Amino acid sequence: MPVDFNRIPTPCYVIDESLLRKNLELISSVRDTAAVDILVAFKAFSTWGVFPIFREYGFGASASSLNEARLALEELGVKAHTYSPAYEEGSIADILGCSSHISFNSINQLQKYGKIAHQGGVSMGLRVNPEFSDTAYDIYNPCKPGSRFGITAEQLDDDFPQGVEGLHFHTLFEADSFALEKVLAVFVKKFGKFLSRVKWVNMGGGHLMTKKGYDIPHLVKMLRDFRARHNVEVILEPGSAFAYQAGYLVSTVLDIVENQGIKTAILDVSFTCHMPDCLEMPYKPVILCATDEIPGKPTYRMGGNSCLAGDSMGNWSFDQDLKPGDRVIFDDMMHYTTVKTTMFNGVAHPSIGIWSDSSGFRLVREFHYQDYKSRLS
Ligand SMILES: Cc1ncc(COP(=O)(O)O)c(C=O)c1O
């Protein structure tokens, strides 16, 4: 049953269960055929209302904070693989309590917390920086010059630290398997001499294996070869791939305004509050039943319902004029979008719902004045 957008109260993020399951099935089949572990990176997707579905496929989690590690334990029932640029004394014990693996960003951090991690039976890794990435966007390139992420080969002398069982790198963004192949060649060249000393290698995220055209057999072969050649457990922790094209942000047109010939549809959602990556990256999202501007067709800029002058994007063309009450549906609004929202301006936060082919729409969370107020005091 296709999603009946007219039945959904707006604004609302809607997870499409069958699309999500398609992603989970593909990722679990890669995990099983490549004999690697694939974790869901909570930073990209942690809408825990659908974690019972993730549990069916047996996915673990990667966390970047105490909150995410705690959520992994509470809602996914797993101890997290945790990495943070720096840990704090006040929360490290709790983080370790929720983690099976922990990666340190520097030798200083290893020296500071290695003993307590070891005592807690948590497997320790080092985040390394191969200083190579295919990423075209600086904002998503952890290997850009001056990066704060990971230990470079030059900094890691031949005296590999005692007790370290893993190496972790993350260099990719929405990449294909051929980008990973290039990274692996550099990683092995720079850090290969340490591979006989470790049990696991975490290849981070950015593997968009659920995107149409991704060469899955190439990925599987590469991972199997790497594992066999270096005799290590291989871990991937993509985030986007899990929720990629698996849901929508459903909005309603509140008004149409016009200035110097530009028509703007004011929506009950906001780019800055509810689709921040559109402005940050920036990128133009897909709107269902609309196209990029076509001369002669009704064309609109979409305007967010906040006071930020830049809270708008253009331009989309529609078959018919837009009017108040019409639905505007933004596609692919799950990964990162749902975890990065704000309540700036006190703009109403979209609720969260799940669309299932068998039972239709289920509203799982609404946001009210108390949610806004409780973030401040
Ligand atoms: C360390 C680490 N792991 C995993 C991820 C997830 O990446 P993606 O959602 O692009 O797959 C990120 C993203 O920033 C990251 O920084």
Side-chain angles (χ1 to χ4, degrees), residues 51-277:
F51 282 1
I53 303 175
F54 280 68
R55 280 181 180 232
E56 288 176 32
Y57 297 83
F59 287 113
S62 103
S64 34
S65 61
L66 173 57
N67 286 336
E68 286 186 357
R70 208 177 137 181
L71 189 68
L73 199 52
E74 278 182 15
E75 295 298 332
L76 207 54
V78 295
K79 286 197 167 186
H81 292 229
T82 304
Y83 159 77
S84 169
Y87 300 99
E88 291 171 48
E89 282 172 26
S91 55
I92 186 73
D94 289 336
I95 286 182
L96 291 168
C98 300
S99 306
S100 60
H101 295 64
I102 188 160
S103 293
F104 295 107
N105 193 50
S106 69
I107 298 292
N108 292 340
Q109 287 270 297
L110 171 71
Q111 284 167 348
K112 193 164 180 189
Y113 299 119
K115 194 164 164 209
I116 162 173
H118 180 69
Q119 283 165 352
V122 178
S123 184
M124 287 186 282
L126 290 179
R127 174 153 176 179
V128 294
N129 184 338
E131 299 174 274
F132 174 82
S133 173
D134 243 13
T135 305
Y137 309 96
D138 253 10
I139 189 174
Y140 296 131
N141 183 357
C143 298
K144 65 186 171 195
S147 166
R148 67 190 189 284
F149 298 123
I151 304 160
T152 61
E154 191 182 64
Q155 291 165 338
L156 194 59
D157 57 33
D158 288 343
D159 200 10
F160 196 70
Q162 281 286 322
V164 170
E165 297 185 333
L167 291 175
H168 176 294
F169 66 83
H170 168 75
T171 74
L172 297 173
F173 168 71
E174 297 194 353
D176 61 19
S177 58
F178 300 95
L180 176 61
E181 189 169 40
K182 288 187 216 155
V183 173
L184 281 184
V186 177
F187 170 74
V188 168
K189 193 161 163 224
K190 292 192 170 180
F191 298 98
K193 61 185 171 191
F194 304 120
L195 285 172
S196 60
R197 309 280 299 272
V198 298
K199 294 183 182 161
W200 52 267
V201 172
N202 184 326
M203 299 180 184
H207 318 284
L208 199 52
M209 60 187 87
T210 46
K211 186 175 180 180
K212 202 164 169 243
Y214 191 103
D215 193 334
I216 297 287
H218 178 244
L219 174 70
V220 168
K221 182 174 181 320
M222 190 164 47
L223 296 176
R224 289 186 73 93
D225 287 353
F226 187 92
R227 190 174 56 88
R229 187 166 318 124
H230 302 292
N231 194 27
V232 287
E233 186 193 334
V234 171
I235 303 160
L236 305 184
E237 50 175 25
S240 299
F242 281 90
Y244 183 65
Q245 294 191 331
Y248 317 90
L249 176 57
V250 185
S251 70
T252 297
V253 177
L254 300 178
D255 195 10
I256 307 285
V257 296
E258 189 165 351
N259 182 316
Q260 305 213 0
I262 293 172
K263 287 184 181 164
T264 299
I266 311 266
L267 306 173
D268 61 353
V269 293
S270 151
F271 288 98
T272 188
C273 302
H274 312 137
M275 299 174 271
D277 284 341

Side-chain angles (χ1 to χ4, degrees), residues 33-48:
T33 40
V36 297
D37 199 7
I38 305 188
L39 316 168
V40 52
F42 274 21
K43 71 194 77 194
F45 185 76
S46 39
T47 307
W48 49 271

